[in-house]
Every structure is written in C-alpha cells, then in structure tokens.
Amino acid sequence: MKICVLVKQVPGSDSPLKISDDQSWINEENVNFITNESDNYAVEEALQLKEKLGEGEVVAVSLGPERTQRTIREALSKGADRGIHIEESYPYASDPLQIARTFASVLEGEQFDLILSGLQSDDFGFGQVGVILGEMLGMSTSTLVMETELADGKMKVKRELEAGWFQWVNLDLPASISIQSGINTPRYPSLKGIMGAKKKELNKVSVDSNNEPRQSISKVYIPKKTKRTEMIVGTVDYQVERLVEVFKKDLRIL
Amino acid sequence: MSVFVVVEQSNSGVHRMSWEALAGGQALGRDLSLPVSVVLMGENVSALAESFQSKDVKEILKVETPLLSNYSADGFSSALAQVIETESPKYVIMGHTYMVRDFLPRVSAKLGLPFLADNIAYGVEDGSLVLSKQLFSGKLVADVSPNGDGPCIISFQSAAFQEEDVTDGSGASVRDISISLDENTIRSRPEEPFQEAAGAVDLSSAEVIVSVGRGIGKEENLPMVKDLVQAMGAELASSRPVVDAGWLESYHQVGSSGQTVAPKLYFALGISGAIQHVVGMKGSKNIIAINKDPEAPLFELADYGVVGDLLEIVPKLTETLQG
Ligand SMILES: Cc1cc2nc3c(=O)[nH]c(=O)nc-3n(C[C@H](O)[C@H](O)[C@H](O)COP(=O)(O)OP(=O)(O)OC[C@H]3O[C@@H](n4cnc5c(N)ncnc54)[C@H](O)[C@@H]3O)c2cc1C
Ligand SMILES: Nc1ncnc2c1ncn2[C@@H]1O[C@H](COP(=O)(O)O)[C@@H](O)[C@H]1O
C-alpha cells in the first residue's frame, strides 16, 4: 500500500505573531516553525497503518520554502520512507485550490492508495487542501477521522460529528482522508530514527505555477476589541485576593 | 445573479447554522441588491420547504433524489456542483459545519471556484465583497477576497449571524431542479451516527466549572487543578488538547465536538479561546480566564481576565479558599 501524508510547517503557537509592515502576512523573523498539530497525528496514523499491514511505503510531502524540509525530515525520522519537498513558487500561498492543484500536479503519477492530511492548518485553517486534492485525483474522501480500519481493499473510518457524535464511513480506495487530533498518540523520533533519516530520499521539486489563486488575503490585523473585560493586574497575591472577592461578592458562588 | 443559501438538515429539521447562514445571506442580498434563494437537497424535502415558506426568500429550490437520502460527500458535492452550474448564482452560502467541511471543498474543486471558508463577517468595499476570517485560532484576522468572476462559495462561522435576524416575507415560489446522479459514483457510504458512552459528569447542569487547557503544560500539573475544583465545589472540564493527550477522559471536553455548557461561572485556566472551544462555553453567565498571554482571544470574551502563570496562581488561590 502506498500512503502519502501531507505535512505542513507552520508558526508554533508560542511564537510572536507580528504583522508585517505591508499588513500582508506576519513577520517571520523570530518565529519558531513546527509541524502542524493535526499533521503529526496524520503521520502517526500513516506509520501505524503500514506497520499493521506489514508492507507498504509512507511518503511525506510538503509545500513551502527551504525551511519546510525540517518538517519532512521529522516525519522521516519517525519512520516515513521518503520525502517530497515542493518548492513554493509564490509567497504565502493563501488559496487552498491553488495549493491543492500544485500537489495534484506533482503527485498525480505516484498512484497513492491513500492520502492522509491534517484536518486543518494552524495558520490559515482552510480545512480544505486534503479534500480538494482527493477530488482532483479522483479519490473518495472523508474528514475529521478518529479511527481507521483497512480490510479487503476497502477502508472504514470513524468520522467525528458535532457534539460528541460519530459515524463510520465505508470508503472505496484510493481515498484521501483528513485526520482529527487525538486519533492516536504521535511517537517521538528515536535517536536511531534521526540518524537514519539523513540517508533517506528527499526529493525537491519545483512546479511552474500556471495556477492563479482564486482567493487572496488583502490585509491581516489584530481582532478589534469590543468587550470590556476587567483585567486583574498586579502581584500574584493581589490577583488571588481580587479573584476571591469576585467569587464572593460579585458572583456570590462561594 | 443571486445569493443561494444551501440548507443542511439536522435530525430536528433545519440545522441551526443554516438559519444563521440565511440571516447572513439575506443581509448580503440587501447590501448588494441581489435576490436570495434557498437550496434544499435530499430524498424528499417538501416538509423542509415549508419551514422557508414564510421567510423572505425569492425561491425555494428543491433537489430531490433517493441517492441524497443519506449524506455522502460524493452525492452532495456532485448534486450541488450541478445546481451551481445550471443556475449560476453569484454567491453560495452555508454555515461552516462538520458536513460542510466534508463536502464543500469538493464542490470548489469540481468547478474550480473559490471557497472562502469559516468567515466571521463580510463587508462591501467599492461594490465588491470582502470576507473576514480568523487566522492562528483567532489571534489574528485576515480580510480575504475572491478573485475573478463567477460564483463564489462562502461559509460562515457559528454565530457570525443570528438566527433571530432572519427576515420574514411571503410568496416564495418553489421550483424543482433536476440533477443526475449515478449510484456508482458514490464511493463513500456512511453508517448510522452514534454517541460514545456518556461520562460520569453532566457538565450541562454544573453551576461552577473550572476548565483546564493546554497551558497546564503536563499531566503532573493536573492535581493542582483538581484541588482547586474541590475547593470551589466545581466540576472539572477541559479543552480538546488535554483530552487528546489522554490526561482527561473525553466527557470533560467542552466545545464543538464535546459538551455545551452554561454555568454561572466558567473559570478557564490556560485556554486560548479558539472558536471550537468557545462555541461550547460562550453561553456561560460569567467567564474568568487566566492566561499568560495578554493577547489570548479568550480575554475578549471574559468578564474578568488574569494575565499570569496559572501554575503560580492556582495553588495560591486554592490555599486562600481553603483558608
Ligand atoms: C473541527 C474541530 C473541532 C474541535 N473541537 C474542539 C472542542 O470540542 N473543544 C476544544 O477545546 N477544542 C476543539 N478543537 C481544537 C481548537 O481549535 C483548539 O485547538 C483548542 O481549543 C485549543 O486548546 P487550548 O486553548 O487548551 O490550547 P492552546 O490553543 O494551545 O492554548 C493554550 C493557552 O495556554 C496559555 N498558557 C500556556 N502556559 C500557561 C501558563 N503557565 N499559565 C497560564 N496560561 C498559559 C497560552 O498562552 C495559550 O493561550 C477543535 C478543532 C477543530 C478544527
Ligand atoms: N503547504 C502545505 N504543505 C503540506 N501540507 C499541507 C500544506 N497546506 C495544507 N496541507 C495539508 O492539508 C491539511 C489542511 O490544510 P488547510 O486546508 O490549509 O487547512 C494540513 O493539515 C496539511 O496536512
């Protein structure tokens, strides 16, 4: 079974998010880039599927600038077999259709049985790239997957619905599914894995983008504040004192 | 040229977020002088159509075939793509639900049309539409515009519009739209929805909830929070990452895929305030948040905000309460 896993590199949630001078995106200086949260779960699911089957190949694919190779290497060090780095030919690709089209043009020939992606990217949060790619490659799709089963050349996934409900969905292969966080416990790379990853194949490809974005960001800004929140500032002792007062006097809950 | 609002069914009829989407669609229609129609898809949607008869919409468009009796990504995306192709609406609007996440990107891909997802608001600048969407879990906002002509697909986040703002009208006409679906093209077959075994705590009736987020750092810090829960006589809740990490059972989770709560006090410790969490607790009468990041989006919703390290504040607070 040939499995593709899409891994995106995004600013870590502890990074400072300074808006760039032209307000088109954030200033990437001092940003600590990490693997997108749900993509870690997708990598783990891909590796577990391969381990269960006892055969197959897991290919980690990412689109982004040079630094994105670190995210691919991380997947390789956990056990993915090879990587594909698609060089970004346009800055901050902000259209899921454009991004997926780029993936489709590179991955078409690979004939994957399964594509796993995260349910959404932590920066843009479109929640679309894996689904669009599935459509473009003629695959069945499902999203928000919390469990997978493979049997007789078919796939069964447990899909999360709203408010604590679930549903099993039977899918024909090939399929592209997006993984919800919490589906498994992502592993850490071992030292041996890290050493081994250096020798694994990582192909860099560039695509001519005759591929115009169908949506663009015109401006990025900090949300406007509307509500008046009483901010309790001061020493920890004062903060505790005021909280107790709020509980007792304002809210009358104690 | 018109605005289409596509309705999602829930077991009780119309999905709450479809009413919100209709309120948004009607507002957009007024601002851009475009008529608004609703699109209903299913095996038999006559009963559903009646829900819209008294609303201010031009047409109720029915797309009926047995292959749409159950939701499938293939069936619904193919059906809606055909509707858009034959009718050429200017805007196609839905609520950003889990079902929309599942099939609407495919419609966008089939037709090569932009899908601007999960917006919190819209504006009109020089006659063109600009949508606002959250980035980085609500820490920043982006204005986004569709490029090129042709239909544009849009989804709105929960509570971007209010159900109460749907305006009434009369005389909506009903029209059938025929589409063709081939059973063999439906490659995903869902089974019946089910709920995982319910947990020991019913958070929906709790007076005071102490809720812990990823800011707790590690599992070893949880007892500190449990002590506070006890000192306050509260119930314990959490955000998703705490459950994902296996530190708490899933029935503690508050949010779009967990429980919805409305206590007298929701005391959030180290929770950033992503929309999927906020939809589960924004009905709380009072919200207090402790967060070390003064820019955390939850402060916007909170009545009281404490900027600081919960690992320092929580033990002291418990101590003081225990007196
Ligand atoms: C379809 C979908 C469904 C989802 N369903 C849910 C759901 O039901 N419930 C849910 O909660 N989430 C849900 N999520 C996830 C949601 O988007 C957020 O990722 C999640 O709510 C973030 O949890 P958090 O605030 O605990 O973590 P983070 O966003 O990582 O925030 C941690 C916060 O802790 C603060 N902090 C760190 N250390 C300290 C300290 N020592 N003292 C004080 N503050 C500190 C940080 O400043 C930060 O603000 C869903 C997402 C999707 C896409
Ligand atoms: N530039 C990228 N490189 C690799 N994977 C990506 C990229 N953009 C999106 N993806 C994948 O698609 C998923 C959904 O992303 P999005 O549609 O941006 O929310 C992510 O979780 C990734 O798995």
Side-chain angles (χ1 to χ4, degrees):
Chain A
M1 169 158 255
K2 238 179 121 175
I3 304 174
C4 169
V5 56
L6 301 181
V7 284
K8 183 175 183 182
Q9 196 181 49
V10 296
S13 61
D14 276 350
S15 292
L17 296 175
K18 294 247 164 10
I19 294 166
S20 60
D21 290 338
D22 63 357
Q23 278 198 292
S24 67
W25 187 232
I26 58 162
N27 191 339
E28 295 196 350
E29 257 169 62
N30 303 321
V31 167
N32 170 32
F33 285 94
I34 60 167
T35 304
N36 190 52
E37 180 175 15
S38 50
D39 301 0
N40 280 320
Y41 290 94
V43 169
E44 180 62 35
E45 200 62 19
L47 297 174
Q48 287 190 14
L49 279 168
K50 178 185 156 181
E51 285 158 7
K52 259 182 250 164
L53 289 166
E55 56 90 21
E57 186 187 29
V58 173
V59 185
V61 183
S62 189
L63 166 78
E66 204 65 25
R67 58 171 159 73
T68 211
Q69 290 198 6
R70 231 184 40 238
T71 283
I72 301 174
R73 287 276 176 221
E74 192 181 301
L76 296 178
S77 67
K78 289 176 172 181
D81 299 288
R82 67 183 161 97
I84 302 176
H85 170 211
I86 308 172
E87 216 179 1
E88 207 167 32
S89 54
Y90 31 80
Y92 331 121
S94 61
D95 175 15
L97 208 51
Q98 182 187 37
I99 297 168
R101 203 173 274 135
T102 304
F103 277 130
S105 70
V106 173
L107 303 180
E108 221 165 21
E110 293 270 358
Q111 301 287 329
F112 287 112
D113 300 293
L114 192 59
I115 296 178
L116 304 185
S117 55
L119 88 157
Q120 69 179 38
S121 53
D122 294 331
D123 47 4
F124 289 122
F126 302 121
Q128 293 183 42
V129 169
V131 185
I132 295 181
L133 179 59
E135 168 72 35
M136 287 176 170
L137 297 179
M139 297 176 159
S140 67
T141 54
S142 193
T143 51
L144 292 156
V145 169
M146 284 298 277
E147 205 174 322
T148 63
E149 280 174 12
L150 269 174
D152 311 326
K154 298 227 188 251
M155 175 130 224
K156 204 173 162 176
V157 297
K158 187 168 111 185
R159 191 174 122 69
E160 185 176 283
L161 306 175
E162 276 138 33
W165 288 77
F166 298 91
Q167 179 173 52
W168 283 97
V169 184
N170 298 286
L171 295 173
D172 292 350
L173 290 176
S176 174
I177 61 175
S178 79
I179 303 296
Q180 168 66 297
S181 66
I183 182 177
N184 51 38
T185 308
R187 70 192 69 183
Y188 292 98
S190 64
L191 193 59
K192 189 161 153 263
I194 294 169
M195 298 312 289
K198 296 194 176 122
K199 293 186 227 92
K200 287 181 177 168
E201 178 184 333
L202 199 175
N203 279 327
K204 181 162 137 183
V205 297
S206 4
V207 270
D208 281 330
S209 62
N210 183 12
N211 179 2
E212 291 302 314
R214 294 301 315 267
Q215 57 179 283
S216 329
I217 292 183
S218 52
K219 192 169 86 183
V220 173
Y221 50 95
I222 294 171
K224 295 175 192 80
K225 304 252 187 289
T226 51
K227 175 149 179 175
R228 286 191 45 180
T229 301
E230 179 189 324
M231 295 307 278
I232 303 173
V233 281
T235 62
V236 171
D237 285 333
Y238 169 75
Q239 289 176 321
V240 166
E241 191 186 317
R242 176 69 187 128
L243 277 173
V244 174
E245 190 178 64
V246 167
F247 293 163
K248 291 192 171 150
K249 294 211 178 109
D250 301 13
L251 309 183
R252 296 168 190 278
I253 52 159
L254 289 179
Chain B
M1 289 250 285
S2 55
V3 177
F4 278 11
V5 176
V6 184
V7 173
E8 176 172 340
Q9 281 175 263
S10 68
N11 28 8
S12 55
V14 178
H15 194 293
R16 171 184 59 83
M17 283 171 67
S18 294
W19 288 120
E20 296 178 3
L22 179 57
Q26 287 178 329
L28 189 70
R30 283 192 294 275
D31 285 349
L32 297 173
S33 306
L34 297 173
V36 179
S37 296
V38 294
V39 179
L40 311 176
M41 302 196 286
E43 181 172 18
N44 180 344
V45 294
S46 301
L48 203 60
E50 276 172 30
S51 315
F52 295 92
Q53 209 77 64
S54 62
K55 305 300 168 202
D56 186 17
V57 294
K58 182 169 165 247
E59 281 190 304
I60 297 168
L61 304 170
K62 288 162 61 187
V63 186
E64 293 180 323
T65 139
L67 288 176
L68 295 177
S69 67
N70 284 317
Y71 167 76
S72 71
D74 285 318
F76 273 53
S77 58
S78 172
L80 185 56
Q82 291 178 51
V83 171
I84 295 173
E85 272 200 307
T86 51
E87 299 287 324
S88 306
K90 182 69 189 136
Y91 300 109
V92 178
I93 297 178
M94 293 191 78
H96 196 67
T97 61
Y98 286 27
M99 183 178 109
V100 158
R101 288 171 173 273
D102 201 59
F103 89 99
L104 212 42
R106 296 195 73 133
V107 178
S108 154
K110 276 180 203 294
L111 303 174
L113 295 176
F115 172 24
L116 279 61
D118 205 11
N119 297 288
I120 51 172
Y122 76 84
V124 180
E125 284 172 21
D126 306 326
S128 10
L129 188 66
V130 180
L131 290 137
S132 306
K133 135 181 228 338
Q134 294 179 321
L135 300 177
F136 299 101
S137 303
K139 289 186 206 105
L140 299 178
V141 179
D143 283 351
V144 186
S145 316
N147 302 328
D149 301 323
C152 171
I153 304 167
I154 297 166
S155 68
F156 283 109
Q157 190 169 90
S158 175
F161 297 94
Q162 307 303 315
E163 187 176 336
E164 302 83 76
D165 292 339
V166 170
T167 53
D168 288 340
S170 62
S173 54
V174 180
R175 179 157 63 92
D176 286 302
I177 298 183
S178 69
I179 54 152
S180 70
L181 272 187
D182 174 356
E183 192 163 3
N184 296 319
T185 60
I186 298 180
R187 297 155 300 175
S188 54
R189 292 161 301 274
E191 296 175 5
E192 281 301 304
F194 64 94
Q195 244 178 331
E196 223 102 281
V201 282
D202 179 15
L203 296 174
S204 63
S205 60
E207 274 266 292
V208 179
I209 290 176
V210 173
S211 191
V212 57
R214 199 192 327 246
I216 190 69
K218 52 181 187 211
E219 193 172 10
E220 291 72 37
N221 292 332
L222 261 186
M224 168 195 304
V225 174
K226 289 182 175 164
D227 289 344
L228 177 64
V229 165
Q230 202 161 34
M232 292 183 70
E235 291 287 357
L236 175 64
S238 80
S239 65
R240 182 170 193 122
V242 177
V243 170
D244 285 348
W247 299 344
L248 285 179
E249 293 289 337
S250 64
Y251 54 77
H252 289 285
Q253 184 177 314
V254 166
S256 64
S257 41
Q259 298 201 50
T260 300
V261 300
K264 191 162 176 197
L265 171 62
Y266 191 85
F267 192 11
L269 312 174
I271 295 178
S272 64
I275 179 64
Q276 293 86 7
H277 186 76
V278 165
V279 292
M281 48 66 78
K282 66 174 192 305
S284 306
K285 276 161 221 72
N286 295 282
I287 297 166
I288 305 182
I290 300 183
N291 200 304
K292 67 171 188 197
D293 174 9
E295 302 295 334
L298 195 58
F299 282 137
E300 173 63 13
L301 196 70
D303 302 280
Y304 303 88
V306 182
V307 178
D309 184 348
L310 79 92
L311 302 178
E312 276 183 55
I313 299 169
V314 167
K316 278 208 169 147
L317 182 58
T318 308
E319 212 182 281
T320 312
L321 290 173
Q322 286 165 338

